[in-house]
Amino acid sequence: MHRNPIRVLDSASVDRIAAGEVIERPASVVKELVENALDAGAADIRVSIADGGLAAITVEDDGQGISFRELPLACERHATSKIVSAADITQVSSFGFRGEALASIASVSRCTIISRCEDEDVGGLIRVVGSVTERREPAPRNRGTTISVEDLFYNTPARRKYLKTPQAEKKAVLNAINAIALAYPEVRWRLSSDDTVLLDLLPADSLPARVRDILGVQTLEHLARFSAEEGGIAVGGLASRPTLTRSNRSHQFIYVNRRPVQSSALAQAVRLAYKDVIPPGRHPVVLLFLDIPHGDVDVNVHPAKSEVRLMLERHIFGMVMNALRDGLDLRADPAFAPDQGGVPFEQASDNQGPLQSLAEARDDYLSRHFSTPGADERTGQPSLFEGAASSASVSADSAPPPPAAGESSPRPAPFWQLHRTYICTQTKGGLLIIDQHNSHERILYNEARKAVQDGTVSVPVQQLLFPVNLDLTALQIQVYQDHADKLNLLGFMIQPFGGRSILVQGIPSSLKNWQEGQLLLDILDDLAETGRADNAAHDDLLASYACHGAVRAGALMTVPEMQNLLDLLFATDTPQSCPHGRPTLIQFSREELEKRFGRR
Ligand code: ADP
Ligand code: MG
């Protein structure tokens, strides 16, 4: 591999480089350093961090190295070996070109570089503390480069203050390595944190092999290939069949010329491709690789180069959408019929007028369903016809007409389910309508909150007949370890099961959506995404558990289930709203009904 000398860019080139801060947090240091290693042709990259990268970050590679003479230059602002002039910016094929990363890092940390080029006998060391070179001397090393960054932001306390917890920073580092390691399966990657190995990825000969090592074999089994090529642009990768979805987009990886990028347009193309085949709010697992002539991508729009501008964006958008639909066969798949959860929610918010007070609704419900179970329920008289039945002088003791064979009988149903989403029931004072999902969410949330507050497992636990073995990603296992105690309190019985696997033997019995473990993965993904500090993380866990564990809109419920749900809802101290503040119930008073029907 030919190596150009490092040179300081002229001011015209510097002026054309997107301005802005490159180093925001430990993960941005790691990203810049591993990109430099890849640009140097490394086949083996080893990253270690201490205290989430706040105390130390070390990146070692076996790439081309930096010559002893060039070490000071490498740490200078706008010094790069990757482009020579402004004109080259439009044709960049390397990760770097700005010549700013090492200078930025060295200005906010105590940075040591040890490196040796192939054609040197001994290597060299340079130590730069807050942009001041403290030492520069010969040092032995094999070919390659080791860069150690200690005490990040030691001299800029304001920036240090904005960092998240070491745990959250560690997860961000893990995410950054995962994203880039998926694009470079031929490279060996190792990541350790405070002497714990988080990743050890052997060189793999294909993308699926690397996906298996990062996302797990259970995920890989649900992925299929897709590809398309047109006019020098190639689109392709792996994506999940509609049988596998996730609760957020953290399992979607987009690359342009092997550079991990954020692209709302491409994310939108993915979303549209899957629109009719997966439930709303769910997201496929996608690894999308775009190969585009370098002249058709502008990588100089964002200081961290994580966003790019695509010249033929509309065209590429269509290519991606079609490639996914063809490759995954997403077009005519009725897997997700509207009736199974696509039920549109009706807006009830403009109906505030007829609502009874919460206390009235609760009293009404309790008086009807607990204190005086109506004769109609015991005799099998449909309560809908309660009034009509008595005026037609049908005795309460007379048997109801036998149900027609094969038909669902007109059983006394004090609860009705509407659109598989709402539960209606009569109360003394009127009509009560419950949102089944919001209500169940409230119940689960309060139960879980109590368990965590009391520090004991206070909910019934259901032993699984067949324990479920879940294959976690490196990130999920981190999140799991951080929250294992609390998950245990919520009623999950989980054992480590070797490597990145866990074995789930029991779950809280009030859950409705276990789905062979999908629930737990959704919770872990949610927590990985928010990554907030202790107290907030605790709340995020409860909210995520309640949201994913609650019965969904679209799920059919039996009468005893509906009754149980309402009983539990009214036993909570906050039955009127779900944990996100959405209403759980609406109450129409008899007066309002009478008014609407012109009886008053
Ligand atoms: P850029 O990557 O934009 O050129 P950097 O500040 O990241 O700017 O790096 C400055 C220069 O230092 C690079 O152009 C490269 O020549 C050299 N360099 C940095 N890291 C390495 C490495 N790991 N191996 C070899 N050379 C490196
Ligand atoms: Mg660089």
Side-chain angles (χ1 to χ4, degrees), residues 150-173:
E150 295 160 89
D151 298 332
L152 187 63
F153 302 140
Y154 79 98
N155 54 355
T156 51
R159 269 153 93 187
R160 203 175 167 107
K161 217 172 60 196
Y162 279 103
L163 295 178
K164 297 192 175 162
T165 59
Q167 274 176 355
E169 296 301 334
K170 175 174 80 178
K171 285 173 202 153
V173 169

PDB file of all heavy atoms in Angstrom, residues 150-173:
ATOM      1  N   GLU A 150      -5.746   9.606  27.208  1.00  0.00           N
ATOM      2  CA  GLU A 150      -6.119   9.566  28.635  1.00  0.00           C
ATOM      3  C   GLU A 150      -6.816  10.859  29.021  1.00  0.00           C
ATOM      4  O   GLU A 150      -6.552  11.904  28.444  1.00  0.00           O
ATOM      5  CB  GLU A 150      -4.866   9.397  29.499  1.00  0.00           C
ATOM      6  CG  GLU A 150      -4.151   8.070  29.289  1.00  0.00           C
ATOM      7  CD  GLU A 150      -2.709   8.184  29.767  1.00  0.00           C
ATOM      8  OE1 GLU A 150      -2.468   7.921  30.947  1.00  0.00           O
ATOM      9  OE2 GLU A 150      -1.853   8.579  28.959  1.00  0.00           O
ATOM     10  N   ASP A 151      -7.670  10.744  30.013  1.00  0.00           N
ATOM     11  CA  ASP A 151      -8.320  11.913  30.623  1.00  0.00           C
ATOM     12  C   ASP A 151      -8.969  12.846  29.607  1.00  0.00           C
ATOM     13  O   ASP A 151      -8.717  14.056  29.586  1.00  0.00           O
ATOM     14  CB  ASP A 151      -7.305  12.733  31.438  1.00  0.00           C
ATOM     15  CG  ASP A 151      -6.725  11.919  32.567  1.00  0.00           C
ATOM     16  OD1 ASP A 151      -7.424  11.005  33.038  1.00  0.00           O
ATOM     17  OD2 ASP A 151      -5.572  12.185  32.959  1.00  0.00           O
ATOM     18  N   LEU A 152      -9.820  12.268  28.794  1.00  0.00           N
ATOM     19  CA  LEU A 152     -10.492  13.054  27.767  1.00  0.00           C
ATOM     20  C   LEU A 152     -11.230  14.246  28.403  1.00  0.00           C
ATOM     21  O   LEU A 152     -11.914  14.087  29.406  1.00  0.00           O
ATOM     22  CB  LEU A 152     -11.491  12.148  27.019  1.00  0.00           C
ATOM     23  CG  LEU A 152     -12.179  12.741  25.799  1.00  0.00           C
ATOM     24  CD1 LEU A 152     -11.171  13.093  24.711  1.00  0.00           C
ATOM     25  CD2 LEU A 152     -13.233  11.774  25.269  1.00  0.00           C
ATOM     26  N   PHE A 153     -11.067  15.406  27.773  1.00  0.00           N
ATOM     27  CA  PHE A 153     -11.701  16.661  28.231  1.00  0.00           C
ATOM     28  C   PHE A 153     -11.220  17.094  29.613  1.00  0.00           C
ATOM     29  O   PHE A 153     -11.926  17.823  30.302  1.00  0.00           O
ATOM     30  CB  PHE A 153     -13.235  16.537  28.237  1.00  0.00           C
ATOM     31  CG  PHE A 153     -13.840  16.188  26.906  1.00  0.00           C
ATOM     32  CD1 PHE A 153     -14.903  15.288  26.814  1.00  0.00           C
ATOM     33  CD2 PHE A 153     -13.353  16.761  25.729  1.00  0.00           C
ATOM     34  CE1 PHE A 153     -15.466  14.966  25.579  1.00  0.00           C
ATOM     35  CE2 PHE A 153     -13.911  16.441  24.491  1.00  0.00           C
ATOM     36  CZ  PHE A 153     -14.966  15.533  24.422  1.00  0.00           C
ATOM     37  N   TYR A 154     -10.004  16.674  30.001  1.00  0.00           N
ATOM     38  CA  TYR A 154      -9.505  17.074  31.320  1.00  0.00           C
ATOM     39  C   TYR A 154      -9.380  18.593  31.426  1.00  0.00           C
ATOM     40  O   TYR A 154      -9.499  19.166  32.497  1.00  0.00           O
ATOM     41  CB  TYR A 154      -8.143  16.410  31.602  1.00  0.00           C
ATOM     42  CG  TYR A 154      -6.981  17.090  30.920  1.00  0.00           C
ATOM     43  CD1 TYR A 154      -6.187  18.004  31.612  1.00  0.00           C
ATOM     44  CD2 TYR A 154      -6.703  16.852  29.583  1.00  0.00           C
ATOM     45  CE1 TYR A 154      -5.137  18.662  30.976  1.00  0.00           C
ATOM     46  CE2 TYR A 154      -5.662  17.497  28.944  1.00  0.00           C
ATOM     47  CZ  TYR A 154      -4.887  18.403  29.637  1.00  0.00           C
ATOM     48  OH  TYR A 154      -3.867  19.056  29.016  1.00  0.00           O
ATOM     49  N   ASN A 155      -9.125  19.225  30.256  1.00  0.00           N
ATOM     50  CA  ASN A 155      -8.927  20.683  30.275  1.00  0.00           C
ATOM     51  C   ASN A 155     -10.140  21.464  29.778  1.00  0.00           C
ATOM     52  O   ASN A 155     -10.073  22.664  29.577  1.00  0.00           O
ATOM     53  CB  ASN A 155      -7.687  21.049  29.455  1.00  0.00           C
ATOM     54  CG  ASN A 155      -7.753  20.473  28.038  1.00  0.00           C
ATOM     55  OD1 ASN A 155      -8.682  19.720  27.715  1.00  0.00           O
ATOM     56  ND2 ASN A 155      -6.795  20.818  27.211  1.00  0.00           N
ATOM     57  N   THR A 156     -11.244  20.753  29.512  1.00  0.00           N
ATOM     58  CA  THR A 156     -12.480  21.430  29.099  1.00  0.00           C
ATOM     59  C   THR A 156     -13.631  20.875  29.939  1.00  0.00           C
ATOM     60  O   THR A 156     -14.465  20.121  29.442  1.00  0.00           O
ATOM     61  CB  THR A 156     -12.796  21.178  27.602  1.00  0.00           C
ATOM     62  OG1 THR A 156     -12.730  19.767  27.370  1.00  0.00           O
ATOM     63  CG2 THR A 156     -11.850  21.899  26.680  1.00  0.00           C
ATOM     64  N   PRO A 157     -13.683  21.264  31.214  1.00  0.00           N
ATOM     65  CA  PRO A 157     -14.669  20.676  32.114  1.00  0.00           C
ATOM     66  C   PRO A 157     -16.108  20.868  31.629  1.00  0.00           C
ATOM     67  O   PRO A 157     -16.960  20.021  31.876  1.00  0.00           O
ATOM     68  CB  PRO A 157     -14.453  21.414  33.443  1.00  0.00           C
ATOM     69  CG  PRO A 157     -13.411  22.442  33.199  1.00  0.00           C
ATOM     70  CD  PRO A 157     -12.805  22.233  31.872  1.00  0.00           C
ATOM     71  N   ALA A 158     -16.354  21.919  30.881  1.00  0.00           N
ATOM     72  CA  ALA A 158     -17.729  22.153  30.412  1.00  0.00           C
ATOM     73  C   ALA A 158     -18.165  21.008  29.506  1.00  0.00           C
ATOM     74  O   ALA A 158     -19.303  20.542  29.566  1.00  0.00           O
ATOM     75  CB  ALA A 158     -17.800  23.469  29.660  1.00  0.00           C
ATOM     76  N   ARG A 159     -17.233  20.529  28.668  1.00  0.00           N
ATOM     77  CA  ARG A 159     -17.605  19.436  27.767  1.00  0.00           C
ATOM     78  C   ARG A 159     -17.712  18.120  28.522  1.00  0.00           C
ATOM     79  O   ARG A 159     -18.539  17.279  28.203  1.00  0.00           O
ATOM     80  CB  ARG A 159     -16.601  19.312  26.641  1.00  0.00           C
ATOM     81  CG  ARG A 159     -17.021  20.162  25.459  1.00  0.00           C
ATOM     82  CD  ARG A 159     -15.852  20.562  24.671  1.00  0.00           C
ATOM     83  NE  ARG A 159     -15.594  19.622  23.588  1.00  0.00           N
ATOM     84  CZ  ARG A 159     -14.517  19.708  22.828  1.00  0.00           C
ATOM     85  NH1 ARG A 159     -13.603  20.635  23.068  1.00  0.00           N
ATOM     86  NH2 ARG A 159     -14.336  18.852  21.872  1.00  0.00           N
ATOM     87  N   ARG A 160     -16.866  17.957  29.493  1.00  0.00           N
ATOM     88  CA  ARG A 160     -16.917  16.723  30.262  1.00  0.00           C
ATOM     89  C   ARG A 160     -18.279  16.590  30.954  1.00  0.00           C
ATOM     90  O   ARG A 160     -18.836  15.506  31.091  1.00  0.00           O
ATOM     91  CB  ARG A 160     -15.787  16.721  31.289  1.00  0.00           C
ATOM     92  CG  ARG A 160     -15.428  15.317  31.703  1.00  0.00           C
ATOM     93  CD  ARG A 160     -14.232  15.261  32.617  1.00  0.00           C
ATOM     94  NE  ARG A 160     -14.206  13.924  33.174  1.00  0.00           N
ATOM     95  CZ  ARG A 160     -13.339  12.988  32.819  1.00  0.00           C
ATOM     96  NH1 ARG A 160     -12.403  13.238  31.942  1.00  0.00           N
ATOM     97  NH2 ARG A 160     -13.411  11.793  33.353  1.00  0.00           N
ATOM     98  N   LYS A 161     -18.777  17.734  31.368  1.00  0.00           N
ATOM     99  CA  LYS A 161     -20.051  17.753  32.087  1.00  0.00           C
ATOM    100  C   LYS A 161     -21.199  17.205  31.237  1.00  0.00           C
ATOM    101  O   LYS A 161     -22.167  16.668  31.754  1.00  0.00           O
ATOM    102  CB  LYS A 161     -20.368  19.198  32.492  1.00  0.00           C
ATOM    103  CG  LYS A 161     -21.029  19.316  33.841  1.00  0.00           C
ATOM    104  CD  LYS A 161     -21.151  20.762  34.283  1.00  0.00           C
ATOM    105  CE  LYS A 161     -21.982  21.594  33.321  1.00  0.00           C
ATOM    106  NZ  LYS A 161     -21.822  23.040  33.504  1.00  0.00           N
ATOM    107  N   TYR A 162     -21.103  17.376  29.922  1.00  0.00           N
ATOM    108  CA  TYR A 162     -22.197  16.945  29.052  1.00  0.00           C
ATOM    109  C   TYR A 162     -22.195  15.451  28.761  1.00  0.00           C
ATOM    110  O   TYR A 162     -23.105  14.929  28.131  1.00  0.00           O
ATOM    111  CB  TYR A 162     -22.183  17.726  27.738  1.00  0.00           C
ATOM    112  CG  TYR A 162     -22.823  19.062  27.903  1.00  0.00           C
ATOM    113  CD1 TYR A 162     -22.075  20.219  27.999  1.00  0.00           C
ATOM    114  CD2 TYR A 162     -24.221  19.151  28.010  1.00  0.00           C
ATOM    115  CE1 TYR A 162     -22.680  21.444  28.198  1.00  0.00           C
ATOM    116  CE2 TYR A 162     -24.825  20.372  28.207  1.00  0.00           C
ATOM    117  CZ  TYR A 162     -24.054  21.518  28.303  1.00  0.00           C
ATOM    118  OH  TYR A 162     -24.671  22.714  28.505  1.00  0.00           O
ATOM    119  N   LEU A 163     -21.166  14.768  29.203  1.00  0.00           N
ATOM    120  CA  LEU A 163     -21.101  13.340  28.896  1.00  0.00           C
ATOM    121  C   LEU A 163     -22.106  12.567  29.731  1.00  0.00           C
ATOM    122  O   LEU A 163     -22.512  12.992  30.802  1.00  0.00           O
ATOM    123  CB  LEU A 163     -19.686  12.821  29.176  1.00  0.00           C
ATOM    124  CG  LEU A 163     -18.620  13.425  28.277  1.00  0.00           C
ATOM    125  CD1 LEU A 163     -17.260  12.883  28.652  1.00  0.00           C
ATOM    126  CD2 LEU A 163     -18.929  13.136  26.814  1.00  0.00           C
ATOM    127  N   LYS A 164     -22.486  11.410  29.200  1.00  0.00           N
ATOM    128  CA  LYS A 164     -23.411  10.551  29.942  1.00  0.00           C
ATOM    129  C   LYS A 164     -22.605   9.723  30.932  1.00  0.00           C
ATOM    130  O   LYS A 164     -21.415   9.935  31.124  1.00  0.00           O
ATOM    131  CB  LYS A 164     -24.169   9.684  28.957  1.00  0.00           C
ATOM    132  CG  LYS A 164     -25.016  10.519  28.022  1.00  0.00           C
ATOM    133  CD  LYS A 164     -25.970   9.666  27.239  1.00  0.00           C
ATOM    134  CE  LYS A 164     -26.884  10.543  26.411  1.00  0.00           C
ATOM    135  NZ  LYS A 164     -27.519   9.811  25.344  1.00  0.00           N
ATOM    136  N   THR A 165     -23.261   8.748  31.547  1.00  0.00           N
ATOM    137  CA  THR A 165     -22.566   7.902  32.514  1.00  0.00           C
ATOM    138  C   THR A 165     -21.531   7.042  31.783  1.00  0.00           C
ATOM    139  O   THR A 165     -21.658   6.788  30.585  1.00  0.00           O
ATOM    140  CB  THR A 165     -23.551   6.942  33.183  1.00  0.00           C
ATOM    141  OG1 THR A 165     -24.163   6.146  32.156  1.00  0.00           O
ATOM    142  CG2 THR A 165     -24.624   7.685  33.947  1.00  0.00           C
ATOM    143  N   PRO A 166     -20.509   6.559  32.505  1.00  0.00           N
ATOM    144  CA  PRO A 166     -19.532   5.662  31.869  1.00  0.00           C
ATOM    145  C   PRO A 166     -20.215   4.466  31.198  1.00  0.00           C
ATOM    146  O   PRO A 166     -19.804   4.040  30.120  1.00  0.00           O
ATOM    147  CB  PRO A 166     -18.651   5.214  33.035  1.00  0.00           C
ATOM    148  CG  PRO A 166     -18.754   6.320  34.027  1.00  0.00           C
ATOM    149  CD  PRO A 166     -20.144   6.878  33.886  1.00  0.00           C
ATOM    150  N   GLN A 167     -21.283   3.963  31.818  1.00  0.00           N
ATOM    151  CA  GLN A 167     -22.002   2.829  31.209  1.00  0.00           C
ATOM    152  C   GLN A 167     -22.563   3.206  29.845  1.00  0.00           C
ATOM    153  O   GLN A 167     -22.480   2.443  28.884  1.00  0.00           O
ATOM    154  CB  GLN A 167     -23.181   2.422  32.098  1.00  0.00           C
ATOM    155  CG  GLN A 167     -22.827   1.452  33.184  1.00  0.00           C
ATOM    156  CD  GLN A 167     -24.034   1.180  34.066  1.00  0.00           C
ATOM    157  OE1 GLN A 167     -25.093   1.785  33.899  1.00  0.00           O
ATOM    158  NE2 GLN A 167     -23.879   0.267  34.994  1.00  0.00           N
ATOM    159  N   ALA A 168     -23.178   4.386  29.775  1.00  0.00           N
ATOM    160  CA  ALA A 168     -23.768   4.825  28.508  1.00  0.00           C
ATOM    161  C   ALA A 168     -22.666   5.078  27.479  1.00  0.00           C
ATOM    162  O   ALA A 168     -22.829   4.752  26.302  1.00  0.00           O
ATOM    163  CB  ALA A 168     -24.607   6.077  28.723  1.00  0.00           C
ATOM    164  N   GLU A 169     -21.552   5.659  27.910  1.00  0.00           N
ATOM    165  CA  GLU A 169     -20.455   5.916  26.973  1.00  0.00           C
ATOM    166  C   GLU A 169     -19.869   4.597  26.463  1.00  0.00           C
ATOM    167  O   GLU A 169     -19.523   4.467  25.296  1.00  0.00           O
ATOM    168  CB  GLU A 169     -19.369   6.779  27.616  1.00  0.00           C
ATOM    169  CG  GLU A 169     -19.838   8.195  28.001  1.00  0.00           C
ATOM    170  CD  GLU A 169     -20.360   9.018  26.819  1.00  0.00           C
ATOM    171  OE1 GLU A 169     -19.949   8.748  25.674  1.00  0.00           O
ATOM    172  OE2 GLU A 169     -21.190   9.918  27.043  1.00  0.00           O
ATOM    173  N   LYS A 170     -19.798   3.628  27.345  1.00  0.00           N
ATOM    174  CA  LYS A 170     -19.303   2.307  26.942  1.00  0.00           C
ATOM    175  C   LYS A 170     -20.201   1.710  25.861  1.00  0.00           C
ATOM    176  O   LYS A 170     -19.724   1.167  24.858  1.00  0.00           O
ATOM    177  CB  LYS A 170     -19.268   1.380  28.168  1.00  0.00           C
ATOM    178  CG  LYS A 170     -18.895  -0.048  27.848  1.00  0.00           C
ATOM    179  CD  LYS A 170     -18.733  -0.888  29.099  1.00  0.00           C
ATOM    180  CE  LYS A 170     -20.076  -1.333  29.642  1.00  0.00           C
ATOM    181  NZ  LYS A 170     -19.962  -2.188  30.828  1.00  0.00           N
ATOM    182  N   LYS A 171     -21.511   1.847  26.045  1.00  0.00           N
ATOM    183  CA  LYS A 171     -22.442   1.308  25.045  1.00  0.00           C
ATOM    184  C   LYS A 171     -22.302   2.037  23.720  1.00  0.00           C
ATOM    185  O   LYS A 171     -22.407   1.430  22.648  1.00  0.00           O
ATOM    186  CB  LYS A 171     -23.872   1.392  25.553  1.00  0.00           C
ATOM    187  CG  LYS A 171     -24.150   0.342  26.607  1.00  0.00           C
ATOM    188  CD  LYS A 171     -25.505   0.538  27.238  1.00  0.00           C
ATOM    189  CE  LYS A 171     -25.528  -0.126  28.596  1.00  0.00           C
ATOM    190  NZ  LYS A 171     -26.487   0.512  29.498  1.00  0.00           N
ATOM    191  N   ALA A 172     -22.060   3.339  23.784  1.00  0.00           N
ATOM    192  CA  ALA A 172     -21.890   4.101  22.545  1.00  0.00           C
ATOM    193  C   ALA A 172     -20.631   3.631  21.806  1.00  0.00           C
ATOM    194  O   ALA A 172     -20.624   3.521  20.579  1.00  0.00           O
ATOM    195  CB  ALA A 172     -21.819   5.596  22.844  1.00  0.00           C
ATOM    196  N   VAL A 173     -19.587   3.316  22.556  1.00  0.00           N
ATOM    197  CA  VAL A 173     -18.357   2.801  21.938  1.00  0.00           C
ATOM    198  C   VAL A 173     -18.644   1.445  21.285  1.00  0.00           C
ATOM    199  O   VAL A 173     -18.262   1.185  20.137  1.00  0.00           O
ATOM    200  CB  VAL A 173     -17.222   2.667  22.982  1.00  0.00           C
ATOM    201  CG1 VAL A 173     -16.045   1.878  22.412  1.00  0.00           C
ATOM    202  CG2 VAL A 173     -16.767   4.052  23.451  1.00  0.00           C
TER     203      VAL A 173
END
